[in-house]
Amino acid sequence: VVTYNTAGTRPCTPAKVYAGAATSAVGVTFNLTIDTVADVATISIAGPADVWFGVGVGATAMADAPYTFIVNSSGVHERQIGTCGSEAEHCAGDALSRSTTLLSNSVNDAAIRTVVFTRPLRGATPKHYTFDPSKDATLNFISAVGSSQQFAYHKAHHAAVVTLLSSPASSHTCLCDLNLEGQLCENGGVKCFKFKRNCKKSWNGDELSDGG
């Protein structure tokens, strides 16, 4: 739902906390909360408990060589995948230094594993993704599930998108504070449509002014 403020005079200021979640077609759920004051990202990733699963951030394909979270029974591991040139689509890539703090690793009665962890917004190295809500209003990600707990070639994969909105959900997201082009999606990152920033300054009563 988009609400247009046609009467208010309060300036549109950036939110302090942004959050979003989406579930891909292979059953991997990516939930991201960015706290710009605490400088921390809180991340929850869920998928089938009996195999590894993963999320590659800021990518639409493995060939983008994304920073990736790999999850299994031992927790969450950070990698840069797809780093083998022409073999990028099938490359396990490189293990990265740990920058996450694991909060929980649980399995529910439906055999869904959920890991919750935190990480600083700025990447520890150039290979670690830097989370920036001013650039990541809509964040592409790839997801995959394996055939066992051992990280190896994926059994299935899918690309999806998560839209970050100001949190709590009752607050408003200022479109002018987001990137030049973004998407507005329903919950779960579906039925998205693109928009381009084209915000006008407040009208001063002059019909020839930009705000009119």
Side-chain angles (χ1 to χ4, degrees):
V1 176
V2 179
T3 302
Y4 295 94
N5 182 1
T6 59
T9 59
R10 182 177 177 180
C12 191
T13 57
K16 297 179 180 179
V17 179
Y18 296 83
T23 301
S24 72
V26 296
V28 175
T29 298
F30 178 40
N31 191 315
L32 172 63
T33 299
I34 293 177
D35 188 329
T36 61
V37 176
D39 195 34
V40 169
T42 301
I43 300 166
S44 170
I45 303 177
D50 58 339
V51 298
W52 71 264
F53 51 91
V55 167
V57 184
T60 58
M62 193 170 178
D64 293 331
Y67 169 69
T68 301
F69 301 113
I70 301 296
V71 177
N72 61 15
S73 58
S74 65
V76 59
H77 312 274
E78 297 163 82
R79 304 186 69 91
Q80 183 185 22
I81 61 172
T83 57
C84 300
S86 61
E87 294 297 324
E89 293 186 357
H90 305 101
C91 181
D94 305 315
L96 301 179
S97 58
R98 181 178 298 278
S99 65
T100 60
T101 299
L102 183 65
L103 302 181
S104 63
N105 183 353
S106 59
V107 178
N108 65 15
D109 293 339
I112 298 298
R113 180 181 307 281
T114 301
V115 295
V116 181
F117 55 97
T118 60
R119 211 214 70 175
L121 297 186
R122 180 175 293 277
T125 73
K127 294 183 178 181
H128 291 72
Y129 193 83
T130 292
F131 294 100
D132 184 350
S134 68
K135 299 178 181 178
D136 295 333
T138 50
L139 182 60
N140 292 313
F141 70 94
I142 59 174
S143 62
V145 296
S147 300
S148 69
Q149 291 289 337
Q150 183 68 36
F151 177 57
Y153 184 74
H154 51 66
K155 180 174 65 175
H157 62 96
H158 185 253
V161 61
V162 59
T163 299
L164 297 177
L165 300 177
S166 54
S167 182
S170 59
S171 61
H172 294 148
T173 297
C174 298
L175 298 185
C176 294
D177 293 325
L178 304 181
N179 53 337
L180 291 177
E181 182 174 296
Q183 298 183 68
L184 291 177
C185 306
E186 293 185 5
N187 291 338
V190 298
K191 297 184 179 179
C192 301
F193 69 90
K194 292 183 178 181
F195 66 88
K196 287 189 176 181
R197 183 174 66 179
N198 185 23
C199 299
K200 295 183 181 295
K201 59 186 178 182
S202 299
W203 187 38
N204 60 12
D206 182 355
E207 294 183 356
L208 298 180
S209 70
D210 290 340

PDB file of all heavy atoms in Angstrom, residues 137-161:
ATOM      1  N   ALA A 137      16.974  -0.617  -1.416  1.00  0.00           N
ATOM      2  CA  ALA A 137      15.532  -0.578  -1.177  1.00  0.00           C
ATOM      3  C   ALA A 137      14.900  -1.894  -1.584  1.00  0.00           C
ATOM      4  O   ALA A 137      14.003  -2.416  -0.925  1.00  0.00           O
ATOM      5  CB  ALA A 137      14.905   0.568  -1.957  1.00  0.00           C
ATOM      6  N   THR A 138      15.356  -2.436  -2.694  1.00  0.00           N
ATOM      7  CA  THR A 138      14.983  -3.785  -3.108  1.00  0.00           C
ATOM      8  C   THR A 138      16.277  -4.549  -3.341  1.00  0.00           C
ATOM      9  O   THR A 138      17.144  -4.105  -4.094  1.00  0.00           O
ATOM     10  CB  THR A 138      14.129  -3.767  -4.385  1.00  0.00           C
ATOM     11  OG1 THR A 138      14.776  -2.958  -5.370  1.00  0.00           O
ATOM     12  CG2 THR A 138      12.752  -3.221  -4.112  1.00  0.00           C
ATOM     13  N   LEU A 139      16.416  -5.669  -2.670  1.00  0.00           N
ATOM     14  CA  LEU A 139      17.666  -6.418  -2.668  1.00  0.00           C
ATOM     15  C   LEU A 139      17.466  -7.756  -3.362  1.00  0.00           C
ATOM     16  O   LEU A 139      16.690  -8.602  -2.905  1.00  0.00           O
ATOM     17  CB  LEU A 139      18.131  -6.634  -1.231  1.00  0.00           C
ATOM     18  CG  LEU A 139      19.451  -7.370  -1.019  1.00  0.00           C
ATOM     19  CD1 LEU A 139      20.603  -6.612  -1.677  1.00  0.00           C
ATOM     20  CD2 LEU A 139      19.720  -7.545   0.475  1.00  0.00           C
ATOM     21  N   ASN A 140      18.142  -7.939  -4.479  1.00  0.00           N
ATOM     22  CA  ASN A 140      18.115  -9.232  -5.155  1.00  0.00           C
ATOM     23  C   ASN A 140      18.902 -10.261  -4.350  1.00  0.00           C
ATOM     24  O   ASN A 140      19.918  -9.925  -3.730  1.00  0.00           O
ATOM     25  CB  ASN A 140      18.726  -9.119  -6.554  1.00  0.00           C
ATOM     26  CG  ASN A 140      17.884  -8.292  -7.493  1.00  0.00           C
ATOM     27  OD1 ASN A 140      16.675  -8.467  -7.578  1.00  0.00           O
ATOM     28  ND2 ASN A 140      18.512  -7.359  -8.197  1.00  0.00           N
ATOM     29  N   PHE A 141      18.444 -11.499  -4.396  1.00  0.00           N
ATOM     30  CA  PHE A 141      19.223 -12.571  -3.789  1.00  0.00           C
ATOM     31  C   PHE A 141      18.946 -13.879  -4.521  1.00  0.00           C
ATOM     32  O   PHE A 141      17.892 -14.054  -5.138  1.00  0.00           O
ATOM     33  CB  PHE A 141      18.935 -12.716  -2.286  1.00  0.00           C
ATOM     34  CG  PHE A 141      17.576 -13.249  -1.931  1.00  0.00           C
ATOM     35  CD1 PHE A 141      17.358 -14.606  -1.700  1.00  0.00           C
ATOM     36  CD2 PHE A 141      16.493 -12.392  -1.799  1.00  0.00           C
ATOM     37  CE1 PHE A 141      16.107 -15.097  -1.344  1.00  0.00           C
ATOM     38  CE2 PHE A 141      15.229 -12.870  -1.448  1.00  0.00           C
ATOM     39  CZ  PHE A 141      15.039 -14.227  -1.232  1.00  0.00           C
ATOM     40  N   ILE A 142      19.940 -14.761  -4.482  1.00  0.00           N
ATOM     41  CA  ILE A 142      19.749 -16.104  -5.020  1.00  0.00           C
ATOM     42  C   ILE A 142      19.705 -17.078  -3.864  1.00  0.00           C
ATOM     43  O   ILE A 142      20.285 -16.834  -2.806  1.00  0.00           O
ATOM     44  CB  ILE A 142      20.858 -16.484  -6.026  1.00  0.00           C
ATOM     45  CG1 ILE A 142      22.243 -16.420  -5.370  1.00  0.00           C
ATOM     46  CG2 ILE A 142      20.802 -15.585  -7.252  1.00  0.00           C
ATOM     47  CD1 ILE A 142      23.366 -16.928  -6.266  1.00  0.00           C
ATOM     48  N   SER A 143      18.995 -18.166  -4.045  1.00  0.00           N
ATOM     49  CA  SER A 143      18.874 -19.170  -2.989  1.00  0.00           C
ATOM     50  C   SER A 143      19.054 -20.550  -3.594  1.00  0.00           C
ATOM     51  O   SER A 143      18.811 -20.759  -4.783  1.00  0.00           O
ATOM     52  CB  SER A 143      17.506 -19.069  -2.306  1.00  0.00           C
ATOM     53  OG  SER A 143      16.476 -19.326  -3.250  1.00  0.00           O
ATOM     54  N   ALA A 144      19.474 -21.470  -2.755  1.00  0.00           N
ATOM     55  CA  ALA A 144      19.683 -22.837  -3.224  1.00  0.00           C
ATOM     56  C   ALA A 144      19.542 -23.798  -2.055  1.00  0.00           C
ATOM     57  O   ALA A 144      19.720 -23.422  -0.887  1.00  0.00           O
ATOM     58  CB  ALA A 144      21.073 -22.993  -3.855  1.00  0.00           C
ATOM     59  N   VAL A 145      19.210 -25.047  -2.372  1.00  0.00           N
ATOM     60  CA  VAL A 145      19.192 -26.132  -1.388  1.00  0.00           C
ATOM     61  C   VAL A 145      20.028 -27.274  -1.940  1.00  0.00           C
ATOM     62  O   VAL A 145      20.106 -27.489  -3.151  1.00  0.00           O
ATOM     63  CB  VAL A 145      17.762 -26.611  -1.079  1.00  0.00           C
ATOM     64  CG1 VAL A 145      16.952 -25.508  -0.422  1.00  0.00           C
ATOM     65  CG2 VAL A 145      17.059 -27.091  -2.342  1.00  0.00           C
ATOM     66  N   GLY A 146      20.664 -28.007  -1.040  1.00  0.00           N
ATOM     67  CA  GLY A 146      21.516 -29.117  -1.435  1.00  0.00           C
ATOM     68  C   GLY A 146      20.842 -30.459  -1.264  1.00  0.00           C
ATOM     69  O   GLY A 146      19.627 -30.554  -1.048  1.00  0.00           O
ATOM     70  N   SER A 147      21.658 -31.505  -1.324  1.00  0.00           N
ATOM     71  CA  SER A 147      21.157 -32.870  -1.201  1.00  0.00           C
ATOM     72  C   SER A 147      21.559 -33.524   0.115  1.00  0.00           C
ATOM     73  O   SER A 147      21.103 -34.630   0.430  1.00  0.00           O
ATOM     74  CB  SER A 147      21.682 -33.728  -2.360  1.00  0.00           C
ATOM     75  OG  SER A 147      21.250 -33.204  -3.604  1.00  0.00           O
ATOM     76  N   SER A 148      22.423 -32.858   0.885  1.00  0.00           N
ATOM     77  CA  SER A 148      22.870 -33.374   2.178  1.00  0.00           C
ATOM     78  C   SER A 148      23.342 -32.198   3.021  1.00  0.00           C
ATOM     79  O   SER A 148      23.278 -31.035   2.601  1.00  0.00           O
ATOM     80  CB  SER A 148      24.009 -34.385   1.995  1.00  0.00           C
ATOM     81  OG  SER A 148      25.183 -33.727   1.550  1.00  0.00           O
ATOM     82  N   GLN A 149      23.842 -32.483   4.223  1.00  0.00           N
ATOM     83  CA  GLN A 149      24.380 -31.433   5.073  1.00  0.00           C
ATOM     84  C   GLN A 149      25.704 -30.880   4.539  1.00  0.00           C
ATOM     85  O   GLN A 149      26.090 -29.758   4.845  1.00  0.00           O
ATOM     86  CB  GLN A 149      24.593 -31.966   6.506  1.00  0.00           C
ATOM     87  CG  GLN A 149      23.314 -32.269   7.254  1.00  0.00           C
ATOM     88  CD  GLN A 149      22.556 -31.009   7.642  1.00  0.00           C
ATOM     89  OE1 GLN A 149      23.121 -29.926   7.752  1.00  0.00           O
ATOM     90  NE2 GLN A 149      21.255 -31.136   7.850  1.00  0.00           N
ATOM     91  N   GLN A 150      26.400 -31.667   3.733  1.00  0.00           N
ATOM     92  CA  GLN A 150      27.686 -31.258   3.188  1.00  0.00           C
ATOM     93  C   GLN A 150      27.489 -30.286   2.020  1.00  0.00           C
ATOM     94  O   GLN A 150      26.782 -30.599   1.064  1.00  0.00           O
ATOM     95  CB  GLN A 150      28.473 -32.483   2.716  1.00  0.00           C
ATOM     96  CG  GLN A 150      29.859 -32.189   2.182  1.00  0.00           C
ATOM     97  CD  GLN A 150      30.820 -31.695   3.254  1.00  0.00           C
ATOM     98  OE1 GLN A 150      30.752 -32.142   4.391  1.00  0.00           O
ATOM     99  NE2 GLN A 150      31.698 -30.790   2.878  1.00  0.00           N
ATOM    100  N   PHE A 151      28.136 -29.123   2.105  1.00  0.00           N
ATOM    101  CA  PHE A 151      28.013 -28.141   1.037  1.00  0.00           C
ATOM    102  C   PHE A 151      28.616 -28.701  -0.249  1.00  0.00           C
ATOM    103  O   PHE A 151      29.781 -29.091  -0.293  1.00  0.00           O
ATOM    104  CB  PHE A 151      28.718 -26.843   1.436  1.00  0.00           C
ATOM    105  CG  PHE A 151      28.698 -25.789   0.366  1.00  0.00           C
ATOM    106  CD1 PHE A 151      27.500 -25.332  -0.170  1.00  0.00           C
ATOM    107  CD2 PHE A 151      29.882 -25.246  -0.116  1.00  0.00           C
ATOM    108  CE1 PHE A 151      27.475 -24.360  -1.153  1.00  0.00           C
ATOM    109  CE2 PHE A 151      29.876 -24.264  -1.101  1.00  0.00           C
ATOM    110  CZ  PHE A 151      28.669 -23.825  -1.622  1.00  0.00           C
ATOM    111  N   ALA A 152      27.805 -28.747  -1.308  1.00  0.00           N
ATOM    112  CA  ALA A 152      28.221 -29.298  -2.596  1.00  0.00           C
ATOM    113  C   ALA A 152      27.286 -28.733  -3.654  1.00  0.00           C
ATOM    114  O   ALA A 152      26.570 -27.755  -3.413  1.00  0.00           O
ATOM    115  CB  ALA A 152      28.169 -30.826  -2.569  1.00  0.00           C
ATOM    116  N   TYR A 153      27.262 -29.350  -4.826  1.00  0.00           N
ATOM    117  CA  TYR A 153      26.415 -28.871  -5.907  1.00  0.00           C
ATOM    118  C   TYR A 153      24.954 -28.856  -5.462  1.00  0.00           C
ATOM    119  O   TYR A 153      24.478 -29.802  -4.826  1.00  0.00           O
ATOM    120  CB  TYR A 153      26.581 -29.759  -7.138  1.00  0.00           C
ATOM    121  CG  TYR A 153      25.802 -29.274  -8.350  1.00  0.00           C
ATOM    122  CD1 TYR A 153      26.233 -28.166  -9.059  1.00  0.00           C
ATOM    123  CD2 TYR A 153      24.652 -29.926  -8.763  1.00  0.00           C
ATOM    124  CE1 TYR A 153      25.531 -27.706 -10.162  1.00  0.00           C
ATOM    125  CE2 TYR A 153      23.937 -29.481  -9.869  1.00  0.00           C
ATOM    126  CZ  TYR A 153      24.379 -28.376 -10.560  1.00  0.00           C
ATOM    127  OH  TYR A 153      23.673 -27.916 -11.640  1.00  0.00           O
ATOM    128  N   HIS A 154      24.228 -27.814  -5.803  1.00  0.00           N
ATOM    129  CA  HIS A 154      22.858 -27.655  -5.330  1.00  0.00           C
ATOM    130  C   HIS A 154      21.883 -28.589  -6.059  1.00  0.00           C
ATOM    131  O   HIS A 154      22.064 -28.936  -7.220  1.00  0.00           O
ATOM    132  CB  HIS A 154      22.394 -26.209  -5.479  1.00  0.00           C
ATOM    133  CG  HIS A 154      22.606 -25.628  -6.852  1.00  0.00           C
ATOM    134  ND1 HIS A 154      21.948 -26.062  -7.968  1.00  0.00           N
ATOM    135  CD2 HIS A 154      23.428 -24.638  -7.278  1.00  0.00           C
ATOM    136  CE1 HIS A 154      22.322 -25.375  -9.021  1.00  0.00           C
ATOM    137  NE2 HIS A 154      23.230 -24.499  -8.640  1.00  0.00           N
ATOM    138  N   LYS A 155      20.836 -28.919  -5.344  1.00  0.00           N
ATOM    139  CA  LYS A 155      19.755 -29.728  -5.918  1.00  0.00           C
ATOM    140  C   LYS A 155      18.746 -28.858  -6.640  1.00  0.00           C
ATOM    141  O   LYS A 155      18.151 -29.260  -7.650  1.00  0.00           O
ATOM    142  CB  LYS A 155      19.066 -30.522  -4.806  1.00  0.00           C
ATOM    143  CG  LYS A 155      17.911 -31.398  -5.280  1.00  0.00           C
ATOM    144  CD  LYS A 155      17.374 -32.261  -4.147  1.00  0.00           C
ATOM    145  CE  LYS A 155      16.748 -31.431  -3.055  1.00  0.00           C
ATOM    146  NZ  LYS A 155      16.118 -32.276  -1.998  1.00  0.00           N
ATOM    147  N   ALA A 156      18.536 -27.649  -6.131  1.00  0.00           N
ATOM    148  CA  ALA A 156      17.590 -26.710  -6.735  1.00  0.00           C
ATOM    149  C   ALA A 156      18.011 -25.301  -6.364  1.00  0.00           C
ATOM    150  O   ALA A 156      18.663 -25.072  -5.337  1.00  0.00           O
ATOM    151  CB  ALA A 156      16.166 -26.982  -6.246  1.00  0.00           C
ATOM    152  N   HIS A 157      17.640 -24.333  -7.216  1.00  0.00           N
ATOM    153  CA  HIS A 157      18.011 -22.947  -6.934  1.00  0.00           C
ATOM    154  C   HIS A 157      16.958 -22.012  -7.522  1.00  0.00           C
ATOM    155  O   HIS A 157      16.195 -22.388  -8.415  1.00  0.00           O
ATOM    156  CB  HIS A 157      19.389 -22.628  -7.512  1.00  0.00           C
ATOM    157  CG  HIS A 157      19.470 -22.758  -9.010  1.00  0.00           C
ATOM    158  ND1 HIS A 157      19.320 -21.693  -9.867  1.00  0.00           N
ATOM    159  CD2 HIS A 157      19.679 -23.845  -9.800  1.00  0.00           C
ATOM    160  CE1 HIS A 157      19.443 -22.101 -11.114  1.00  0.00           C
ATOM    161  NE2 HIS A 157      19.656 -23.409 -11.112  1.00  0.00           N
ATOM    162  N   HIS A 158      16.947 -20.769  -7.019  1.00  0.00           N
ATOM    163  CA  HIS A 158      15.962 -19.792  -7.489  1.00  0.00           C
ATOM    164  C   HIS A 158      16.407 -18.399  -7.088  1.00  0.00           C
ATOM    165  O   HIS A 158      16.997 -18.201  -6.017  1.00  0.00           O
ATOM    166  CB  HIS A 158      14.589 -20.088  -6.875  1.00  0.00           C
ATOM    167  CG  HIS A 158      13.503 -19.201  -7.395  1.00  0.00           C
ATOM    168  ND1 HIS A 158      12.948 -18.191  -6.639  1.00  0.00           N
ATOM    169  CD2 HIS A 158      12.865 -19.166  -8.594  1.00  0.00           C
ATOM    170  CE1 HIS A 158      12.015 -17.576  -7.360  1.00  0.00           C
ATOM    171  NE2 HIS A 158      11.947 -18.133  -8.539  1.00  0.00           N
ATOM    172  N   ALA A 159      16.144 -17.417  -7.940  1.00  0.00           N
ATOM    173  CA  ALA A 159      16.426 -16.015  -7.648  1.00  0.00           C
ATOM    174  C   ALA A 159      15.149 -15.334  -7.154  1.00  0.00           C
ATOM    175  O   ALA A 159      14.050 -15.644  -7.617  1.00  0.00           O
ATOM    176  CB  ALA A 159      16.948 -15.307  -8.892  1.00  0.00           C
ATOM    177  N   ALA A 160      15.307 -14.419  -6.197  1.00  0.00           N
ATOM    178  CA  ALA A 160      14.155 -13.725  -5.638  1.00  0.00           C
ATOM    179  C   ALA A 160      14.579 -12.310  -5.248  1.00  0.00           C
ATOM    180  O   ALA A 160      15.711 -11.885  -5.493  1.00  0.00           O
ATOM    181  CB  ALA A 160      13.605 -14.491  -4.426  1.00  0.00           C
ATOM    182  N   VAL A 161      13.661 -11.579  -4.641  1.00  0.00           N
ATOM    183  CA  VAL A 161      13.943 -10.200  -4.235  1.00  0.00           C
ATOM    184  C   VAL A 161      13.251  -9.928  -2.907  1.00  0.00           C
ATOM    185  O   VAL A 161      12.154 -10.419  -2.647  1.00  0.00           O
ATOM    186  CB  VAL A 161      13.461  -9.202  -5.316  1.00  0.00           C
ATOM    187  CG1 VAL A 161      11.961  -9.308  -5.538  1.00  0.00           C
ATOM    188  CG2 VAL A 161      13.847  -7.776  -4.948  1.00  0.00           C
TER     189      VAL A 161
END
